[in-house]
Amino acid sequence: MPEFAEIEALRRPLAKRLNGHTIVNVTVLEPRSIEGEIETFKQNVIGSTINGVDRYGKYGLIRSDHGTLMFHLRMSGQFYIQKVNMVRPSFTRVLLDLENGEQIRYVDQRKFGYLAAYSKNEPLSFLNGLGPDVLDPSINTRFFIETFKPIRRKIKPTLMDQHLICGLGNIWADEILFQAKIHPASICAKLTDQDFDYLYHAFHQVVAYAIEAGGINHYNPLPQSEYNGQFDLFTHTYGKEGKPCSACGSTIQRMMINGRSAFYCPHCQRMIH
Ligand SMILES: [Zn+2]
């Protein structure tokens, strides 16, 4: 699933293709791929001229003179931007016609992703209850202590809780915990202020690195573009089960936490419980 870094990498090539173009028609082939009423979606989108692409957490925000077209790609969402007479890719769910004879084709094999349209004066209701974005300057050591210390859950799923910090998923949470030398099953409430300081600095470093690298991904969310996300995993622990730890040579292990895989080095990462 694309996380903050992969959506960040998508912004520039998507804006390059879309900025200045007007959406003149909308065809919804799969109602599940649209959040809310299809008619309202169409009203908000048809006639809008796109002027930028932003990001909040793992959400993409296509800005226009009408408002915001939000997308959440989840497991397999992709955009193809193609001439209208080209054969549609399999699993095309939504068609957005542009004034120049091209079409934005929202493709989503697994149908977990969706688009939502907000008019200019409408609050972005998807933000309700979400934590600050990973790049929010209010996230510091104190934020980690105040937010995570009261929680008696394991640290890995807590880092991925979008209500606390918005944007982290499985891959980058594993990297942060490796850098912080904290075992993923450690209990938040048991971490010391010093541990949270390490955690914040690891978070800050990994977020900057992930964005610099252009993210990593298992698929290309914008085929036929200059999207430059990495498709080989260059992580330290994620997907590296059975391989030697880059720091100490111990074997990277995998465990399940709340039904999700967590990869870690049993030597470098200290269990705090
Ligand atoms: Zn190690």
Side-chain angles (χ1 to χ4, degrees), residues 178 244-252 264-269:
F178 177 77
C245 168
S246 58
C248 75
S250 300
T251 304
I252 297 293
Y264 65 100
C265 171
H267 180 74
C268 293
Q269 293 177 251

Side-chain angles (χ1 to χ4, degrees), residues 80-254:
Y80 282 75
I81 300 161
Q82 298 175 313
K83 289 278 180 208
V84 78
N85 58 6
M86 278 181 70
V87 177
R88 287 179 204 157
S90 307
F91 314 113
T92 298
R93 308 300 184 194
V94 182
L95 304 170
L96 305 161
D97 289 284
L98 299 176
E99 90 296 341
N100 64 353
E102 288 189 315
Q103 231 171 21
I104 306 170
R105 294 164 166 180
Y106 177 67
V107 176
D108 191 350
Q109 181 176 1
R110 301 186 61 181
K111 294 198 267 193
F112 291 117
Y114 56 90
L115 311 177
Y118 298 88
S119 65
K120 211 169 193 169
N121 301 317
E122 199 179 350
L124 300 176
S125 55
F126 79 94
L127 292 173
N128 292 345
L130 291 180
D133 177 70
V134 286
L135 291 182
D136 192 312
S138 73
I139 301 178
N140 54 23
T141 300
R142 176 152 298 283
F143 172 91
F144 269 95
I145 293 169
E146 286 171 358
T147 310
F148 286 69
K149 185 95 179 157
I151 295 176
R152 296 180 180 282
R153 287 186 275 135
K154 291 171 179 152
I155 185 73
K156 166 92 189 276
T158 309
L159 271 179
M160 292 164 59
D161 183 342
Q162 304 298 299
H163 302 100
L164 304 179
I165 294 177
C166 198
L168 298 177
N170 221 19
I171 297 175
W172 295 113
D174 273 347
E175 283 301 289
I176 290 167
L177 291 169
F178 177 77
Q179 294 291 353
K181 302 189 192 308
I182 295 171
H183 190 289
S186 296
I187 302 298
C188 296
K190 300 292 183 182
L191 270 66
T192 63
D193 287 5
Q194 181 72 70
D195 294 326
F196 282 115
D197 194 47
Y198 288 140
L199 183 61
Y200 163 66
H201 283 98
F203 162 84
H204 189 68
Q205 228 175 50
V206 168
V207 165
Y209 168 71
I211 286 178
E212 170 85 25
I216 50 178
N217 222 332
H218 299 291
Y219 73 95
N220 186 345
L222 189 63
Q224 302 154 343
S225 77
E226 59 189 27
Y227 175 80
N228 65 352
Q230 311 289 315
F231 297 96
D232 295 318
L233 297 178
F234 54 81
T235 54
H236 291 96
T237 54
Y238 184 84
K240 296 277 168 37
E241 184 185 11
K243 302 220 165 90
C245 168
S246 58
C248 75
S250 300
T251 304
I252 297 293
Q253 317 254 315
R254 180 168 77 112

